[in-house]
Amino acid sequence: MAESAPILPQKGKKNVLITSALPYVNNVPHLGNIIGSVLSADAFARHVYNKARDRPTLFICGTDEYGTATETKALEEGVSPQQLCDKYHALHAQVYEWFEIGFDYFGRTTTEKQTEIAQDIFKKLYENGYMAEKTTRQPYCEKHESFLADRFVEGECPLCHYDDARGDQCDKCGHVLDPFDLIKPRCKIDGATPVARDTTHIHLLLDKLQPAIEEWSAKSSEEGAWSRNGRIITESWLKEGLKDRGITRDLKWGTPVPLPGYENKVLYVWFDACIGYVSITANYTKDWEQWWRSPEDVKLYQFLGKDNVPFHTVIFPGSQIGTGDKWTMLNHLSTTEYLNYENGKFSKSRGVGVFGNNAKDTGVPPDVWRYYLLSNRPETSDTQFEWKAFLAANNSELLNNLGNFVNRLIKFVNSKIYNSVIPDYTAKHADPAFAEFKSDINTLLSQYVSELEAVKIRAGLDTAMRISARGNLFLQSNHLDNKLAATTPDHAAAVVGIGLNLIYLLASLIAPFMPATSTSILDQLSAPFLFIPDTWTADDLKPGHVIGKAKYLFSSIKPEKEEQWREMYGGSQADRLKKDEEAAKKEAKKAAKKAKKDKKGQQAGTPDEKAKAVEGGEKGVEGTGVPDKDPVQAVTDGVEQVTLPSS
């Protein structure tokens, strides 16, 4: 089958380039990571495409794979950095696919294009006088003859005396450290005592670029309506005064520094990472420059957590400006605060909270997770993931509101009254009795479009659900039932026609948030996707159209699941592992006892009973076997005992 042509910007159209922060490759993403960038970007990308056909939209992302954390994790797992990246890249892709994140291309930073583009930017900054060589002191391991990144030095914390602190931070007391502060420091690789040695690195002169960065950010943040926290963080950096920052490191795993004498050094991951957006696009299409060198034709929207703001609003734009080349630069910045877990924090290192694979393990469909996360998107302040609220979102909001409205009306039309055929609703369609309802819907529709155009994703979802609630009220206030259809058929037909057309509109409005639910509604209506109109006229589905059969959109979640899941995903991964081991021991004892009992009774059993016993054993009916884990679960389990930084 021929490959589809790449999505490219078109002259004279509103072209939109969307990126979500590149997730670091050293772990399975948790819900906070997912809502912080990829899911938010996905909802906006789906809206931009769904609103109108004339907006070519490219949504790209990928794994950020270079740096110290990758080398550290590779050492922990006993594999090469490339092997580690290959495995985790596939795992990230698997998690995002389950969440129905609709990337146009999901790439990675360990590519030839990344080296080519990053080195080109570096050399132009160097040639234009925006870089300088500086010498600093850094830990050096004489045993394996290598400089050590801060995280490769371990020892006793000088403040709390925790004996397993890292050279950059103590995980016990949380204080930021210098590797030379540690008591009895040791090399993480071989345990040798590091010594201090001078090392030379290249620094990016952000202070020299500050005037140009300030001028650009003032204009872009206003025109692009950046998120408030993004503006505040950027302004804080600029107000304090930009300082030169080292952008090379004494590592092996990274983009090589294209300068003589720097053969054993690489580019710092946070200079290199944002360039990944460009290189990933270049791996998607050879015509990548049409997206990244067309500021007059392309608007760039970037989605990320607040901790990544300076790299996207200061360092990367500064690097673009410093090259002197023409670049598509940030237009709209959408940043989130933190999603916390049950009044605590998600923790990659300790495994506290729900990771991407855990969501799948609950058996709750992706759309319910998408709805809950997007309706609690931490847009202006931190929000909480709470199991009680999660159940309420499914049972009270989705099931009782949207699910009830759709199912009630489609079932009614499926009945013998209409036999799944939309009745002729034209006689009463324009009745003044329905004018206020149509006006209300159009007011809400206009509000919905404005909210999503302004990237107010949570507000847009809330408005869509208000439209659904208004539909429920419409059916109730008109007393739609068999009696109405028998006594005032024209009025009933109008209620049915208007109601079904509202469901048709809702399928489009919820598509950015719950794509599978949208598809199910369209299947039940036997209708193609409806591009969102400027004005809803309630007549897109015509009289005589035959709809499909009603299906439930959502299922109720039992109340006891709340405590079950809270216990399952609370505490640390180590606690969970201990519980799993204890449960496995109990099961093993139970199985052994039963096997002994079965053996005694086997002599008296019939051939059929013996056959059933063998079949049951092969299928693991008694739970004595351990099923193979899917790749994501295996990796999550594999990091339970490891404490690692997130970047």
Side-chain angles (χ1 to χ4, degrees):
M1 190 171 73
E3 291 186 8
S4 58
I7 302 166
L8 294 174
Q10 299 175 37
K11 288 284 185 183
K13 292 191 175 182
K14 296 178 180 179
N15 303 288
V16 180
L17 176 59
I18 300 171
T19 72
S20 58
L22 306 183
Y24 205 72
V25 78
N26 72 330
N27 211 324
V28 178
H30 59 64
L31 298 184
N33 306 135
I34 292 167
I35 186 57
S37 55
V38 294
L39 180 54
S40 298
D42 180 63
F44 181 70
R46 289 175 184 273
H47 162 71
V48 170
Y49 174 73
N50 291 343
K51 178 65 178 70
R53 294 177 186 271
D54 64 350
R55 282 199 280 187
T57 303
L58 180 65
F59 175 25
I60 61 106
C61 186
T63 42
D64 176 12
E65 301 186 356
Y66 283 134
T68 307
T70 301
E71 287 194 354
T72 307
K73 188 61 176 292
L75 284 170
E76 296 284 352
E77 295 200 9
V79 297
S80 71
Q82 186 63 63
Q83 288 173 320
L84 182 103
C85 291
D86 290 345
K87 178 169 70 173
Y88 277 90
H89 172 79
L91 296 170
H92 274 263
Q94 181 182 334
V95 168
Y96 302 137
E97 182 180 359
W98 186 82
F99 273 94
E100 297 196 46
I101 307 298
F103 303 119
D104 292 305
Y105 186 74
F106 185 71
R108 56 199 308 186
T109 57
T110 50
T111 65
E112 289 294 328
K113 284 293 182 185
Q114 175 73 8
T115 300
E116 175 190 324
I117 295 170
Q119 288 186 342
D120 179 66
I121 291 173
F122 179 95
K123 286 187 284 188
K124 286 175 178 174
L125 287 166
Y126 189 83
E127 292 164 1
N128 292 344
Y130 291 115
M131 290 187 177
E133 193 175 73
K134 294 195 175 186
T135 300
T136 58
R137 292 180 72 74
Q138 193 171 330
Y140 182 84
C141 179
E142 295 177 316
K143 188 170 182 178
H144 74 274
E145 299 180 328
S146 177
F147 282 98
L148 300 173
D150 293 351
R151 291 170 183 159
F152 277 82
V153 182
E154 298 177 335
E156 183 182 335
C157 175
L159 301 170
C160 72
H161 300 288
Y162 175 56
D163 61 4
D164 202 23
R166 297 193 313 268
D168 61 341
Q169 183 176 339
C170 175
D171 278 338
K172 187 174 182 182
C173 67
H175 282 90
V176 175
L177 301 173
D178 184 282
F180 297 116
D181 293 335
L182 294 175
I183 300 169
K184 296 179 182 178
R186 60 186 181 274
C187 171
K188 181 179 181 67
I189 298 170
D190 52 36
T193 302
V195 297
R197 282 198 182 179
D198 287 343
T199 181
T200 302
H201 285 290
I202 298 298
H203 283 233
L204 177 62
L205 304 179
L206 288 171
D207 50 345
K208 194 173 179 180
L209 284 162
Q210 177 156 352
I213 294 172
E214 282 184 316
E215 181 181 354
W216 165 80
S217 67
K219 182 180 179 183
S220 178
S221 61
E222 186 65 31
E223 291 182 355
W226 292 7
S227 298
R228 182 173 177 272
N229 51 6
R231 298 177 78 150
I232 290 172
I233 293 168
T234 304
E235 289 166 3
S236 175
W237 268 54
L238 294 172
K239 186 177 180 180
E240 183 181 334
L242 300 182
K243 303 173 181 63
D244 61 89
R245 297 176 70 91
I247 59 166
T248 59
R249 289 292 185 271
D250 291 295
L251 296 172
K252 296 178 181 177
W253 186 242
T255 301
V257 179
L259 288 177
Y262 282 78
E263 290 79 9
N264 294 321
K265 300 178 192 289
V266 299
L267 298 181
Y268 179 37
V269 66
W270 271 118
F271 172 78
D272 188 66
C274 288
I275 298 170
Y277 297 125
V278 185
S279 73
I280 288 169
T281 309
N283 279 300
Y284 167 70
T285 173
K286 63 181 177 59
D287 297 315
W288 64 272
E289 290 184 324
Q290 290 188 35
W291 282 109
W292 283 100
R293 298 198 186 279
S294 302
E296 65 281 357
D297 292 322
V298 176
K299 295 294 184 184
L300 172 60
Y301 287 72
Q302 297 196 287
F303 291 78
L304 49 136
K306 66 179 179 181
D307 50 336
N308 290 332
V309 167
F311 306 108
H312 292 75
T313 65
V314 176
I315 296 176
F316 182 49
S319 299
Q320 290 177 301
I321 292 168
T323 64
D325 293 336
K326 183 170 76 169
W327 285 99
T328 299
M329 296 179 68
L330 172 64
N331 173 57
H332 179 83
L333 178 71
S334 181
T335 54
T336 57
E337 300 288 328
Y338 295 129
L339 175 70
N340 295 316
Y341 178 77
E342 291 277 343
N343 298 311
K345 289 186 177 181
F346 283 89
S347 171
K348 285 184 179 179
S349 61
R350 293 182 292 111
V352 175
V354 182
F355 286 71
N357 60 304
N358 301 140
K360 180 180 179 181
D361 293 341
T362 63
V364 177
D367 270 15
V368 177
W369 287 98
R370 287 175 62 104
Y371 172 79
Y372 178 76
L373 291 172
L374 289 166
S375 63
N376 286 277
R377 185 173 184 256
E379 294 180 349
T380 56
S381 61
D382 291 355
T383 57
Q384 295 285 339
F385 176 92
E386 295 177 327
W387 286 109
K388 184 175 183 178
F390 178 74
L391 265 66
N394 180 82
N395 295 345
S396 299
E397 298 168 25
L398 292 178
L399 191 60
N400 292 349
N401 178 357
L402 180 62
N404 179 66
F405 175 45
V406 174
N407 190 256
R408 176 184 175 185
L409 186 52
I410 292 180
K411 265 189 175 180
F412 187 70
V413 180
N414 286 158
S415 72
K416 293 180 180 179
I417 300 172
Y418 298 116
N419 292 314
S420 300
V421 179
I422 299 179
D424 184 356
Y425 55 75
T426 55
K428 291 282 188 178
H429 184 269
D431 194 307
F434 302 126
E436 183 180 353
F437 172 72
K438 292 177 184 176
S439 176
D440 287 349
I441 296 300
N442 274 300
T443 298
L444 288 169
L445 174 61
S446 177
Q447 180 179 326
Y448 168 92
V449 171
S450 296
E451 286 164 345
L452 282 189
E453 290 293 304
V455 202
K456 295 180 179 178
I457 296 171
R458 189 173 67 185
L461 176 53
D462 179 67
T463 300
M465 294 300 288
R466 287 171 61 197
I467 291 174
S468 174
R470 190 68 180 84
N472 267 313
L473 183 61
F474 176 70
L475 298 186
Q476 292 166 14
S477 61
N478 281 280
H479 308 290
L480 182 63
D481 57 16
N482 294 355
K483 182 180 178 182
L484 185 72
T487 57
T488 53
D490 286 346
H491 184 83
V495 173
V496 166
I498 293 170
L500 284 177
N501 273 288
L502 183 59
I503 290 174
Y504 194 22
L505 176 66
L506 274 168
S508 300
L509 300 184
I510 66 167
F513 314 104
M514 295 176 281
T517 304
S518 172
T519 299
S520 178
I521 293 173
L522 294 176
D523 287 344
Q524 293 177 57
L525 292 175
S526 295
F529 186 86
L530 174 70
F531 282 88
I532 299 171
D534 292 326
T535 302
W536 179 65
T537 54
D539 59 359
D540 293 288
L541 294 176
K542 305 299 183 183
H545 175 76
V546 180
I547 67 169
K549 296 299 180 184
K551 298 175 185 176
Y552 290 113
L553 295 176
F554 308 102
S555 300
S556 178
I557 299 175
K558 295 179 179 178
E560 55 264 30
K561 285 292 185 181
E562 177 188 338
E563 195 53 44
Q564 180 183 327
W565 287 333
R566 182 180 290 111
E567 183 178 351
M568 188 179 297
Y569 300 114
S572 67
Q573 291 274 19
D575 291 338
R576 294 180 210 170
L577 184 62
K578 187 177 179 181
K579 289 178 182 177
D580 290 344
E581 288 173 347
E582 289 173 352
K585 286 177 183 177
K586 287 181 181 178
E587 283 296 322
K589 286 181 180 178
K590 182 180 176 182
K593 187 176 180 180
K594 185 181 187 304
K596 189 175 180 180
K597 184 179 179 181
D598 288 345
K599 190 174 181 181
K600 286 181 180 179
Q602 198 168 21
Q603 298 296 328
T606 65
D608 284 346
E609 287 168 340
K610 291 176 184 178
K612 287 178 182 177
V614 172
E615 183 184 359
E618 289 173 349
K619 292 181 180 177
V621 169
E622 297 303 326
T624 57
V626 180
D628 291 337
K629 297 178 179 179
D630 66 52
V632 185
Q633 184 62 53
V635 170
T636 305
D637 291 346
V639 300
E640 284 168 347
Q641 304 299 319
V642 183
T643 299
L644 288 174
S646 59
S647 61

